[in-house]
Amino acid sequence: MSNVIVVGSSNTDLVFETPKFPAEGETVIGGDFEVISGGKGANQAVAAARAGADVLFLTKVGDDEFGSNAIAVYNKEGINTSFIEKQKGVASGTAMIMVNQNSGENAIIVAPGANNHLNEQNIDEITDQITATTTVLCQLEVPLNAVDYLLTQAKRKKALTILNPAPYQEISLELLKKVDIITPNETETLGLTGIELVDKQSIERAAFSLLQMVNKAVIITLGDKGVYFISHEQKGKFMPTSKVKAVDTTAAGDVFNGYFAAALQDNELETAIELGMKSATLSVTRKGAQPSIPFRNEID
């Protein structure tokens, strides 16, 4: 049985380096171009596997070369891909990622493709793999009804549920009641609470508001400022991260979530958060999504 189950998207990332993001109607001569495995679900699954967890990944890929290549990558990472299906007649999910060569910041357009076909029937196929000792990690790059159904089944099995509400979309309170730990960034926190994070007080207020909606804890990721977390058992706390020169911030949040989910199997909340931050910090010093994800021995 897998101790971390990740349900989410699989994309092929088409990555362009650029000296600046183009304005409307503008053509910019960029730098290097790469084709890299990505997708929030896949990134988090790979991160959890490299952190040392036994990972099962559920996603949908297209019946194309991108889909076959993605599955081969996940198998190479030691991830259980037994339940991944190829959606006939549909392209695999694809993302165009522009990375600013000067700041490392990115801008992304996603064509979901096969990811939009993940459904309740696919969730039913992994239900027997979920136990009370399983951590279930999900995001919002697949249909919301599938995420809701997954959380329902996970709570029925008394598994620990983590929702990374990215990319942001409106979520019902009923869905959030099935979430144990929620891990939004600043933009997602604003969408969920209506509170703009402009200072420590607004961050604390937004986190407390979210805590009333979930079962265990809130972890707001704040980029190079670290995280703020609060739980029903612990007072709120800011946890800073190390300062580094960012080369590419793509997938930093995914790296945090994957490592955090894996670390929760054997560690207290704060220790798991620290491991997640270390892995994310190291990842932004490297190019690409999955190629930037560190292995556990690098963190140690």
Side-chain angles (χ1 to χ4, degrees):
M1 289 296 220
S2 299
N3 56 15
V4 175
I5 293 179
V6 181
V7 177
S9 58
S10 171
N11 292 330
T12 297
D13 293 345
L14 311 178
V15 184
F16 300 79
E17 288 190 350
T18 177
K20 67 170 188 171
F21 297 138
E24 186 173 347
E26 181 184 13
T27 298
V28 174
I29 302 300
D32 292 340
F33 169 74
E34 292 183 272
V35 179
I36 302 171
S37 294
K40 287 191 173 296
N43 295 341
Q44 293 180 18
V46 171
R50 291 187 182 180
D54 181 11
V55 179
L56 182 153
F57 180 37
L58 176 66
T59 190
K60 276 271 184 84
V61 297
D63 189 16
D64 54 19
E65 187 177 354
F66 281 168
S68 298
N69 290 344
I71 293 173
V73 167
Y74 309 146
N75 284 328
K76 188 176 179 180
E77 295 286 347
I79 294 168
N80 182 346
T81 62
S82 303
F83 299 91
I84 297 178
E85 290 184 4
K86 291 185 175 182
Q87 187 73 27
K88 291 185 178 180
V90 177
S92 293
T94 308
M96 186 190 78
I97 303 176
M98 292 184 293
V99 179
N100 188 301
Q101 293 167 312
N102 300 310
S103 69
E105 293 299 318
N106 61 64
I108 304 173
I109 299 174
V110 177
N115 293 305
N116 278 343
H117 293 264
L118 190 72
N119 55 39
E120 294 180 2
Q121 183 178 345
N122 302 126
I123 305 299
D124 283 336
E125 292 172 1
I126 66 164
T127 301
D128 288 345
Q129 305 294 314
I130 302 174
T131 71
T133 60
T134 303
T135 297
V136 174
L137 173 61
C138 54
Q139 326 76 31
L140 301 178
E141 268 188 345
V142 294
L144 196 57
N145 63 326
V147 174
D148 192 9
Y149 188 69
L150 168 69
L151 293 170
T152 299
Q153 298 306 311
K155 293 319 297 175
R156 184 173 64 84
K157 293 293 195 78
K158 302 187 185 310
L160 179 71
T161 58
I162 304 172
L163 174 64
N164 175 222
Y168 172 73
Q169 58 179 293
E170 191 171 337
I171 308 172
S172 71
L173 182 58
E174 287 305 309
L175 185 151
L176 289 170
K177 287 179 179 178
K178 303 167 192 172
V179 174
D180 291 321
I181 302 172
I182 192 166
T183 61
N185 65 15
E186 293 167 88
T187 301
E188 293 143 13
T189 301
L190 170 61
L192 289 164
T193 66
I195 300 172
E196 188 173 359
L197 308 188
V198 295
D199 52 26
K200 289 186 175 182
Q201 290 72 31
S202 58
I203 293 170
E204 291 169 340
R205 194 165 69 253
F208 184 77
S209 175
L210 275 175
L211 188 62
Q212 311 314 305
M213 307 177 198
V214 300
N215 298 318
K216 293 185 182 294
V218 175
I219 301 168
I220 299 177
T221 56
L222 302 167
D224 60 5
K225 297 186 290 292
V227 308
Y228 177 82
F229 87 95
I230 186 172
S231 77
H232 287 291
E233 297 179 349
Q234 295 170 267
K235 292 182 179 179
K237 180 178 182 180
F238 285 93
M239 297 179 65
T241 188
S242 302
K243 300 296 182 183
V244 296
K245 178 174 174 51
V247 173
D248 183 356
T249 59
T250 306
D254 297 332
V255 177
F256 172 85
N257 277 277
Y259 258 83
F260 170 69
L264 273 178
Q265 294 285 321
D266 303 308
N267 298 281
E268 296 296 325
L269 187 61
E270 284 193 47
T271 304
I273 291 171
E274 288 173 353
L275 185 61
M277 285 198 296
K278 287 179 181 178
S279 63
T281 298
L282 185 53
S283 77
V284 303
T285 66
R286 303 167 172 179
K287 294 181 180 180
Q290 288 170 29
S292 75
I293 301 172
F295 290 86
R296 180 59 187 263
N297 65 323
E298 297 179 84
I299 303 299
D300 293 337

